[in-house]
Amino acid sequence: MDYIFMDLDGTITDSREGITKCFQYALHHFGIEVMDLSELEQFIGPPLEQSFREGFGFDKDTAARAVQLYRERYVPIGLYENTVYPGMEEALQRLKEAGKVLIVATSKPEHMAVKVLEHFHLDGYFDDICGASTDHVRSSKEAVIRYAMEKHDITDKSDVLMVGDRKFDVEGAKACGLKCMGVLYGFGDREELEAANADYIAETVEDMAQQIVYM
């Protein structure tokens, strides 16, 4: 497989602190107090509006307002409450040396994904950074993957692997006819990824790179 599509949150960086604190901040404005931030980790991965609607029963307008509040904290603060997984830069270097085309495919707004990767000086390892559009036309993982494939004129689906930590990555890949590797060092667990029919499972960053190099 020559094209490797990679999720961002939970796959390249550990963004739990920033994301959960921004959820907490937004929910506070609606009288919902969540003191244990680990309870909010389940919402890392899917589009924000989807998480507010399905997780808290918000209607469309309320969810949209919640997303605004989330980003009110995320843009200046939460985006940087983030760390790169140990060994990730070495793994990306190894994949590039193996001739892989690395493309980020994230449900995070594209311009924010660019900021994160530039902040950690990882943007140079990627041939492209594809994310959600600000108009919500492209927000699901499936839509982002299709966008990345069309942008790079990829027609051979057997030449692409999606790598992510949640079932949303697997489901998005399957909807596009791609294989997916689930990683266990992120926010999903083996049960979730296997239930979504991940084709491969990697336990560590090093394991992820090792398996991909030989594909």
Side-chain angles (χ1 to χ4, degrees):
M1 296 181 182
D2 293 324
Y3 293 91
I4 309 301
F5 289 3
M6 297 185 71
D7 177 43
L8 178 54
D9 297 317
T11 301
I12 300 172
T13 67
D14 183 346
S15 52
R16 76 183 70 212
E17 180 183 358
I19 291 178
T20 56
K21 284 184 176 179
C22 290
F23 265 104
Q24 182 187 54
Y25 174 84
L27 292 169
H28 170 75
H29 286 73
F30 297 97
I32 301 173
E33 303 296 342
V34 181
M35 304 310 296
D36 183 356
L37 292 176
S38 66
E39 295 178 7
L40 299 171
E41 290 181 10
Q42 62 183 301
F43 301 113
I44 301 175
L48 291 173
E49 187 170 330
Q50 177 184 334
S51 292
F52 283 116
R53 295 184 70 174
E54 296 180 359
F56 302 94
F58 289 1
D59 59 28
K60 184 176 181 179
D61 291 340
T62 306
R65 174 57 180 153
V67 171
Q68 289 180 336
L69 289 165
Y70 174 100
R71 290 180 177 155
E72 183 176 279
R73 185 185 186 281
Y74 184 79
V75 173
I77 302 172
L79 187 150
Y80 304 105
E81 294 172 323
N82 200 350
T83 59
V84 179
Y85 284 111
M88 180 55 63
E89 186 164 7
E90 292 80 3
L92 295 175
Q93 180 66 39
R94 186 178 181 191
L95 294 176
K96 292 303 293 181
E97 290 174 351
K100 304 298 184 182
V101 177
L102 303 182
I103 297 174
V104 172
T106 174
S107 295
K108 183 187 293 298
E110 191 169 290
H111 68 285
M112 291 187 185
V114 170
K115 282 187 176 182
V116 170
L117 292 165
E118 287 180 343
H119 175 69
F120 290 115
H121 307 293
L122 296 179
D123 53 304
Y125 291 103
F126 294 95
D127 296 85
D128 201 0
I129 299 170
C130 298
S133 58
T134 55
D135 59 6
H136 303 294
V137 171
R138 185 176 71 248
S139 61
S140 69
K141 186 52 65 79
E142 177 185 350
V144 171
I145 291 173
R146 292 192 186 282
Y147 162 66
M149 292 180 68
E150 291 170 3
K151 188 176 179 181
H152 292 271
D153 298 317
I154 301 171
T155 55
D156 184 357
K157 297 178 180 180
S158 67
D159 201 26
V160 186
L161 176 72
M162 179 69 209
V163 181
D165 66 309
R166 296 297 310 279
K167 64 179 182 181
F168 311 102
D169 300 300
V170 183
E171 292 167 352
K174 296 295 181 181
C176 295
L178 306 182
K179 289 189 175 181
C180 184
M181 173 182 287
V183 298
L184 297 181
Y185 57 82
F187 303 115
D189 57 25
R190 183 179 293 274
E191 182 179 7
E192 174 183 327
L193 294 168
E194 290 183 344
N197 294 315
D199 299 280
Y200 312 94
I201 298 288
E203 295 190 356
T204 65
V205 171
E206 293 76 12
D207 183 26
M208 177 266 292
Q210 177 76 4
Q211 289 191 52
I212 294 174
V213 162
Y214 293 102
M215 288 183 178

